[in-house]
Amino acid sequence: MRKRRKDIDIAEGILPKVKIPFKIRAYRLIRKVLIGFILASLVNFVFSYFFHTPKVYSLGKENSELLIKYRVLQERIDASVEQLKEIKKRDNGIYRSIFAVDTLVYDLSPDAYIAANSNIYKSNRYYPVMQQAWLDLENMQRLLFYESVSLDTLQVLAKDKEKMAEAIPAIWPLDKNKVRGHIGSYGYRIHPIHHTRMKHDGMDFAAPIGTPVYTTAEGTVTHNGYDRGYGRSIIIDHGYGYKTRYAHLNKALVTVGQKVKRGEQVGEVGNTGQSTGPHLHYEVIYRGATVNPINYFSKDMSDEDFQRIIKAARNITYETEQ
């Protein structure tokens, strides 16, 4: 009977159920899962490309805020650098000029260490912004350090400003009323003996032999001797880079190592060495080079002021330091 029913089903087109093997069923299941995963990923990619998820939106907002903060930081760094540059300008143009100090040179070029550390963010998409902020901040710190050192130096000089004022040559090396006629200027001239164009490193004051010669600033005598060209000459070290020379003297009244006060008599006008007549050869030496002495004394100084300085110097007595 069962066989007959089966024949009838076959005759009517109804196929008997066939048991599918496990491997095929597993393969079909995996294929469906993979197709579903691919479709879901594709839909997610398309959706995330055109629409931001809350997390992506939050990250984008944080990145925008970070860029704004970097721009604000950069603006503050730039403003601080400009302020430091203005301080540097006043430092070199005013303060250091007042105290006759060399211009401070700044090295603001990034060295290898800074360059290496500024590259640690190179893989970041915001690397250019971060690198520029890094370098500007380093330069600002360097500029701040240099200015700190400079101001410390100026602070020391300011404390010693009275000593420095005493050390700068500032008066006539002899009584201008004793000058007779010619005053030889600083610079190139025809030498009166060699008859060739030579540089004259000082100023010449024609005066009678024996006319008192005074030191133009406080200092210590470092030379007292006879030189072939200068004749009897004295060199006084005033400190702060200044020295003065008094040459062609008839007599020297000081000894090496002796301290002298501005306006104190150190010698007498003479006619020694390569000289064509009684006169004082006076030089101002600053940091090893001669400079024009006319810039270091007032040609209009009154006789009363000059005599007051001479009188004050005579009342000064130096004691030997123990």
Side-chain angles (χ1 to χ4, degrees):
M1 188 70 177
R2 290 181 178 176
K3 185 177 181 181
R4 184 178 177 184
R5 181 65 183 172
K6 183 178 181 180
D7 293 340
I8 294 173
D9 291 341
I10 292 173
E12 293 179 354
I14 301 174
L15 298 176
K17 293 183 179 179
V18 179
K19 187 176 182 180
I20 301 175
F22 176 77
K23 289 183 178 181
I24 295 176
R25 283 185 292 140
Y27 169 75
R28 290 177 179 176
L29 178 62
I30 293 173
R31 183 177 62 182
K32 291 179 180 178
V33 171
L34 289 177
I35 292 174
F37 178 78
I38 293 173
L39 290 175
S41 299
L42 183 61
V43 171
N44 181 65
F45 174 77
V46 173
F47 181 83
S48 62
Y49 184 81
F50 291 101
F51 305 97
H52 292 303
T53 63
K55 185 176 182 179
V56 172
Y57 178 78
S58 176
L59 290 175
K61 185 177 180 180
E62 290 180 3
N63 288 340
S64 299
E65 292 176 352
L66 182 63
L67 283 176
I68 293 173
K69 290 180 180 179
Y70 263 108
R71 292 192 184 99
V72 172
L73 176 63
Q74 187 68 50
E75 290 175 358
R76 291 182 177 178
I77 292 175
D78 293 341
S80 299
V81 169
E82 289 302 318
Q83 292 176 352
L84 285 173
K85 286 182 178 179
E86 181 61 28
I87 295 176
K88 171 189 171 185
K89 184 178 179 180
R90 293 201 302 267
D91 183 4
N92 283 331
I94 301 176
Y95 307 136
R96 302 184 80 84
S97 297
I98 292 175
F99 294 105
V101 184
D102 286 341
T103 300
L104 189 63
V105 179
Y106 300 82
D107 180 16
L108 297 180
S109 58
D111 55 23
Y113 174 79
I114 295 177
N117 280 275
S118 66
N119 289 333
I120 59 178
Y121 303 109
K122 197 166 186 177
S123 60
N124 193 292
R125 61 181 293 188
Y126 303 113
Y127 164 72
V129 177
M130 300 171 73
Q131 182 196 41
Q132 189 61 46
W134 173 276
L135 294 176
D136 289 344
L137 185 59
E138 286 292 332
N139 283 338
M140 185 181 71
Q141 290 177 341
R142 285 190 175 194
L143 186 58
L144 185 60
F145 169 76
Y146 283 128
E147 279 305 319
S148 175
V149 173
S150 176
L151 293 178
D152 287 343
T153 302
L154 293 177
Q155 183 179 14
V156 173
L157 292 175
K159 290 181 180 179
D160 296 337
K161 62 181 179 180
E162 292 184 2
K163 292 183 178 179
M164 184 178 179
E166 292 294 329
I168 299 176
I171 66 171
W172 286 69
L174 74 173
D175 188 344
K176 65 179 180 179
N177 293 319
K178 299 295 180 66
V179 177
R180 295 293 181 263
H182 179 70
I183 297 179
S185 60
Y186 174 87
Y188 284 92
R189 64 170 187 178
I190 301 299
H191 195 279
I193 296 177
H194 301 292
H195 304 291
T196 57
R197 189 171 184 270
M198 299 176 63
K199 184 181 179 183
H200 188 226
D201 288 325
M203 293 184 67
D204 291 337
F205 301 89
I209 293 178
T211 301
V213 174
Y214 306 103
T215 176
T216 57
E218 182 177 323
T220 303
V221 178
T222 58
H223 173 76
N224 179 358
Y226 194 94
D227 302 314
R228 180 180 178 185
Y230 289 116
R232 173 68 62 185
S233 65
I234 296 170
I235 296 178
I236 300 175
D237 188 347
H238 306 286
Y240 300 94
Y242 287 100
K243 294 181 180 181
T244 51
R245 187 197 303 271
Y246 311 81
H248 305 307
L249 300 176
N250 180 58
K251 185 186 296 185
L253 304 178
V254 290
T255 58
V256 174
Q258 180 179 339
K259 291 184 177 180
V260 292
K261 189 74 173 178
R262 175 182 289 148
E264 183 176 347
Q265 185 176 356
V266 295
E268 297 177 354
V269 172
N271 191 29
T272 58
Q274 294 184 355
S275 173
T276 57
H279 73 284
L280 169 68
H281 174 84
Y282 171 66
E283 292 181 8
V284 176
I285 305 167
Y286 181 64
R287 299 198 174 186
T290 59
V291 293
N292 195 341
I294 201 171
N295 296 323
Y296 290 89
F297 64 89
S298 173
K299 296 177 67 176
D300 300 324
M301 178 180 290
S302 67
D303 295 338
E304 291 77 12
D305 290 338
F306 185 82
Q307 293 302 328
R308 178 175 50 80
I309 292 173
I310 303 305
K311 184 178 180 180
R314 288 172 181 166
N315 295 330
I316 296 296
T317 301
Y318 285 100
E319 297 180 355
T320 303
E321 296 181 356
Q322 300 298 326

